[in-house]
Each structure stands twice: as structure tokens, then as C-alpha cells.
Amino acid sequence: IEGIPTDVVEIGRLRALAVYAQRYRPAPCGVSTSRLDESAAGTMGWWLVDEDGQLYLMSNNHVWAKENQGQRGDPIVQPGVLDGGTEDDVVAELHDFIPLDFTGTGVNYVDVAIATPLDMAKLYTSIMELGGVTGKRDPEQGEQVCKVGRTTGKTCGEVTDASATVQVGYGSGTATFEDVVLVEGTDIVNGGDSGSPVLSSDGRFLGLLFAGNDENTLFVVCKQSRIESELQSRLGKKVWVLIANAWPPFFREVEVQKVYPSSLEVMAMSLNMMVQFMSFNLLLALITYIRREALEKDKGMIV
């Protein structure tokens, strides 16, 4: 039997794009976000807490602070405007950021901005697919780490350089970074993943993704220790990565059904109740009879 002639064309591995570009409430980390005034989309990173107990969300400077152009109070949306976010989706306001140095004479260690949440009921201290954070430390050479981002979702790779010096191109110019981390793998990053939280295999927060290469095989991470120290210097008070473990968002489904007993079960329960009632009455009658007999006996013994 003659078949239909076909051509086989190798196109490589396919991956769904914009994995976490939807609107989520409560909004976890690892999903789409942006400023309200930009048609863009990055990723909501993780949480910080200061010495006064104030909570902050964090992502990259270039995601939330417009490469040093942002002002305190600028509205932050989830999802990002590129993914359909509007003024009805504002979840936080820009609080501060670490300025990026594009002069070529200064050194950058982090690309980070923080925002003040407006309504905690609309946010969730957990990360898509990964859950909460069990601890914190800096990445180690050779270890496997994972990130969750707006575009490629959860991807994992190997730390190939735990203290690199790189140059990163931005719209405002080129910035030199020192003591950052390089992670390599296959199809592990794409546009829109900036701000992704990076975690170890045991759930420890390691840093924020802020750049990647054109081949999607490498991303760059600013270390959690640098994030804390740079923000402490900027804000003039102690700031820590929040340690809060939780289930992965929208991960567990529990179906609850109201159970009605069958007619046979109803009859059985009724008979059981009747037997218990009759047994109780018989026991009560027996006790009454014994007490009455005892009283009669006592009367017979009185002279």
C-alpha cells in the first residue's frame, strides 16, 4: 500500500513560552510583573523583611525601577502590562532600588529593586512549583540550582562560576558586575525571566536572576548576601531575605464531597441506636430492682 509522501524536518526541542504570564490571586513569586507605565514583563522574585518588620517584594532594578528612572510610589502590577496587566492589577508600590552604574568606572554587585505590598491578602509568600524558602546562602561551585521565571517556568542548571566578573548590556548602556554567579544548562532562560528567584535543591534562597545569553543556555545571578548588604547600606537599616516555607501555589487540590448514607446504612444506624437505648433501659431497670430488693431486706432486719 502506497503511503503519502512526507518530509521530516528537525526543529529541536519545543518549550511553551510565557509559562507564568497569567494573573494570579493571591500572587506568588516566579510570575509575571512590571511597572504600570511600561509595556514589559519580568518576574516577581521573593520577599525581604527589615528590622522594623516591614515586608518588601523584590525583583530587578531594570524590571521595576526603569534602569534608575523609577520613583518611590510607582505602581507595580501583576501580571506585567505586556501580559495584560492594568491599573486594576496593582499589587505593590516601588520603595527603593540599588542604582546601576553605567559609567564604566564603577562596579555593580546586584540588579535589585524592592516594592511595598499594598494588600497581603492578594499576595503569597511562596514560589511557583518550588514552594517557600527554607533558608539562605550563596551558590556553590558545581551545584545544581533551579529558578522559576515568567517565561520558561522552572528550569535547572549547574553553577559553573561562583564569583564571576561580567558585562551586561542594558538600554541605558553597559554595566560591569563583579562577584556574580553563572549558571549553565539547556533552554534555561529567556526574555521575561529577569527577577526570577534562584533556589538550591533543598529550598535555600541563593539570589536573583538578572541576565542571560542569546543562546538561552546561561543566566547570571546576583548573590543573596550581596542583595542583603547592598540594601542594608542603601536603606540604613538591617534587611534580611525572608525565610518562610510554604506549599507550592495552586499545587494541591482537595476535592470534598458531602456523603449521604444509603438506606441500608440508615436502617443499621437506627437499629444500633434502638439496641443501645433498650440496653440502657434494661440496665436501669435492673439497678432499680436490685436497690428495691436491698431496701426490703434492710427493713426486714430492723427490730
Side-chain angles (χ1 to χ4, degrees):
I1 300 174
E2 292 186 1
I4 300 173
T6 61
D7 288 330
V8 178
V9 180
E10 184 175 346
I11 60 175
R13 181 184 178 189
L14 298 178
R15 175 185 291 279
L17 296 180
V19 174
Y20 295 129
Q22 295 82 18
R23 182 182 192 271
Y24 299 93
R25 294 296 182 273
C29 295
V31 300
S32 172
T33 186
S34 78
R35 297 169 56 85
L36 180 59
D37 61 359
E38 281 190 310
S39 182
T43 300
M44 192 177 294
W46 183 241
W47 294 83
L48 295 162
V49 60
D50 68 17
E51 62 186 27
D52 300 319
Q54 174 65 51
L55 286 171
Y56 305 98
L57 280 163
M58 63 175 159
S59 185
N60 294 151
N61 175 322
H62 75 270
V63 173
W64 280 351
K66 211 172 183 178
E67 297 181 12
N68 302 341
Q69 303 304 309
Q71 301 292 324
R72 178 174 291 190
D74 289 346
I76 305 299
V77 294
Q78 194 295 305
V81 173
L82 187 65
D83 296 323
T86 69
E87 60 185 7
D88 294 330
D89 298 311
V90 175
V91 295
E93 292 180 346
L94 182 65
H95 181 78
D96 211 337
F97 56 89
I98 303 300
L100 293 168
D101 187 298
F102 299 109
T103 65
T105 59
V107 175
N108 300 282
Y109 296 104
V110 299
D111 180 343
V112 65
I114 59 174
T116 305
L118 297 181
D119 185 352
M120 286 299 297
K122 296 181 179 180
L123 297 163
Y124 188 18
T125 54
S126 188
I127 302 168
M128 277 294 192
E129 298 193 60
L130 296 181
V133 166
T134 61
K136 61 180 181 179
R137 61 173 172 81
D138 288 341
E140 299 174 353
Q141 186 79 20
E143 75 170 313
Q144 289 287 315
V145 302
C146 295
K147 74 96 183 71
V148 178
R150 169 261 184 194
T151 306
T152 56
K154 177 187 174 183
T155 59
C156 303
E158 179 183 345
V159 175
T160 55
D161 195 330
S163 184
T165 297
V166 298
Q167 290 188 324
V168 179
Y170 291 84
S172 302
T174 300
T176 299
F177 286 83
E178 291 185 1
D179 196 29
V180 293
V181 179
L182 305 185
V183 177
E184 295 188 50
T186 303
D187 296 332
I188 58 173
V189 66
N190 213 321
D193 286 334
S194 291
S196 298
V198 180
L199 272 66
S200 65
S201 58
D202 58 354
R204 296 179 185 274
F205 181 83
L206 306 177
L208 285 183
L209 182 158
F210 70 95
N213 65 357
D214 292 336
E215 292 75 27
N216 307 326
T217 59
L218 178 148
F219 61 74
V220 189
V221 182
C222 48
K223 298 178 178 181
Q224 69 83 25
S225 62
R226 290 289 190 181
I227 292 172
E228 288 184 340
S229 62
E230 292 290 303
L231 284 171
Q232 286 176 10
S233 178
R234 175 76 172 178
L235 300 177
K237 57 182 173 181
K238 293 182 178 179
V239 181
W240 302 276
V241 169
L242 181 68
I243 308 301
N245 203 359
W247 286 103
F250 319 112
F251 179 74
R252 287 160 53 96
E253 288 188 7
V254 179
E255 184 176 345
V256 179
Q257 294 181 344
K258 190 171 183 179
V259 178
Y260 296 92
S262 66
S263 56
L264 289 176
E265 289 174 327
V266 171
M267 290 177 61
M269 287 188 291
S270 299
L271 287 172
N272 184 51
M273 291 176 64
M274 290 175 62
V275 169
Q276 291 184 20
F277 180 73
M278 292 174 64
S279 298
F280 175 76
N281 284 338
L282 286 172
L283 180 61
L284 184 62
L286 180 60
I287 293 173
T288 302
Y289 173 77
I290 293 173
R291 290 184 63 187
R292 185 165 51 244
E293 287 295 312
L295 289 172
E296 290 294 332
K297 185 177 180 180
D298 289 342
K299 287 179 181 180
M301 293 177 64
I302 295 175
V303 178

